[in-house]
Amino acid sequence: MNEKFEGVEAGGSSHRPDTKAMYQRCLDNLYTVNIEIVARMSVLNERMEQHRQEARERETNGPTAFEIYITCFDKAELDLQEAERLKYLKPSTRDLVHSLQTILNVTGKLGGPRSADLLIILNFLFSTLLTRLPPVLIPQLEQTMEELEPYRQRLNDLFKIVPEEEPTEDI
């Protein structure tokens, strides 16, 4: 009986797959899978780095002054639409209120990286507003602008805004 057992044990080992070969195949499979994962991860890492770089550039560059102006203009339009819906605004004063709301929104954006350019846009908005106002209101607006000039200068000093010379082309 011992002989049979020893024979089965000896014969049985020859029928089992070679453990070293199986171990090597498993390692090869793992290595192949690992290479595929690493390759995909490197592509993913490259794309993430590109995205981070673009985000850094957007942060440092920020939107242009014109893009800020367009955003403020659109926000003023949305505010006016809401006021019209609530019947707070008369159609005859819509343009005046829209201009003033745009000026208010642009002024609120001062202090950012494009403040000097925004000052140019504000000057343009004020001059355009003066040309479109009824003659009766022009002296009032000019007086109000003179009264607000010290506050504007304090904002410039606070945010270290150095006004640039106005461009020759119209905005």
Side-chain angles (χ1 to χ4, degrees):
M1 196 137 139
N2 267 348
E3 293 172 8
K4 283 186 181 179
F5 180 72
E6 289 174 8
V8 169
E9 190 175 275
S13 66
S14 64
H15 294 296
R16 279 191 250 162
D18 188 15
T19 54
K20 281 189 174 182
M22 185 175 6
Y23 179 73
Q24 188 60 41
R25 279 194 306 267
C26 287
L27 284 180
D28 291 343
N29 287 339
L30 284 175
Y31 182 76
T32 305
V33 169
N34 199 16
I35 288 175
E36 291 174 7
I37 290 173
V38 168
R40 289 180 183 156
M41 291 298 290
S42 65
V43 169
L44 179 63
N45 285 333
E46 288 173 13
R47 288 187 182 167
M48 285 178 58
E49 186 56 36
Q50 287 174 348
H51 177 72
R52 286 183 187 129
Q53 183 64 28
E54 289 170 3
R56 276 188 234 114
E57 288 175 6
R58 277 189 307 250
E59 265 183 30
T60 56
N61 296 339
T64 65
F66 185 72
E67 291 170 338
I68 293 171
Y69 163 72
I70 293 297
T71 302
C72 293
F73 184 88
D74 292 342
K75 186 175 183 317
E77 183 63 36
L78 291 173
D79 292 344
L80 288 180
Q81 288 174 3
E82 182 65 18
E84 287 173 339
R85 188 181 70 75
L86 298 173
K87 310 268 190 254
Y88 291 139
L89 185 65
K90 295 178 183 176
S92 59
T93 60
R94 187 181 200 291
D95 288 338
L96 173 63
V97 173
H98 187 266
S99 296
L100 291 172
Q101 188 70 21
T102 302
I103 289 170
L104 178 68
N105 290 336
V106 171
T107 303
K109 296 295 183 177
L110 289 175
R114 305 280 188 223
S115 294
D117 296 334
L118 289 176
L119 285 178
I120 295 169
I121 290 174
L122 279 173
N123 290 336
F124 175 75
L125 290 173
F126 278 122
S127 64
T128 304
L129 181 62
L130 285 173
T131 60
R132 291 188 298 165
L133 271 180
V136 177
L137 295 176
I138 291 175
Q140 269 186 319
L141 181 63
E142 287 177 338
Q143 179 186 359
T144 304
M145 287 172 54
E146 287 175 16
E147 290 173 4
L148 292 175
E149 187 59 31
Y151 298 108
R152 186 176 179 179
Q153 288 302 320
R154 284 176 42 188
L155 277 175
N156 291 351
D157 294 341
L158 177 68
F159 293 120
K160 297 175 179 58
I161 302 170
V162 178
E164 295 177 359
E165 294 188 24
E166 295 188 25
T168 56
E169 63 183 46
D170 288 339
I171 297 177

